[in-house]
Amino acid sequence: MADMLEAIKGIVKNTLDAYMPFSAYYGTVVQESPLTVQIDPKFYLTHEFLTVLRHVGPLEEGSRVFILKVSDGEYVVMGKVVLPGEDYTG
């Protein structure tokens, strides 16, 4: 019975993954050159895995960014994150 339940869970997960082909993350730039972004305490993305859209502009240490994982191993920096009360004009 437990094996059947695990099989069903696997089928559901695979089906959902097919309809949600990307994941979203927030990260913080911890190094400018080479670019390194920290997603959580144990997960860092280095420049080899990051594509930065042109409109994002220069990323500085401490910049918060929004990232989409669009395929296995491909992450796209979509933009900088501005929190309420912060200056977003710059």
Side-chain angles (χ1 to χ4, degrees):
M1 183 74 157
D3 290 339
M4 182 183 289
L5 181 60
E6 290 305 312
I8 292 170
K9 285 181 182 178
I11 291 168
V12 170
K13 181 187 180 314
N14 290 340
T15 302
L16 291 175
D17 287 348
Y19 286 103
M20 301 265 314
F22 62 88
S23 302
Y25 300 94
Y26 289 102
T28 303
V29 176
V30 293
Q31 186 173 320
E32 289 179 46
S33 183
L35 181 61
T36 305
V37 177
Q38 181 179 8
I39 303 299
D40 68 34
K42 295 183 179 182
F43 182 34
Y44 291 80
L45 292 170
T46 57
H47 69 281
E48 296 95 353
F49 302 99
L50 292 167
T51 299
V52 180
L53 298 180
R54 185 179 310 270
H55 77 273
V56 173
L59 295 172
E60 302 164 345
E61 270 186 48
S63 295
R64 289 181 297 274
V65 292
F66 180 72
I67 298 172
L68 288 182
K69 179 182 179 186
V70 294
S71 66
D72 288 337
E74 184 181 358
Y75 297 83
V76 179
V77 178
M78 302 298 292
K80 294 179 185 177
V81 176
V82 180
L83 298 176
E86 293 182 336
D87 178 22
Y88 62 87
T89 59

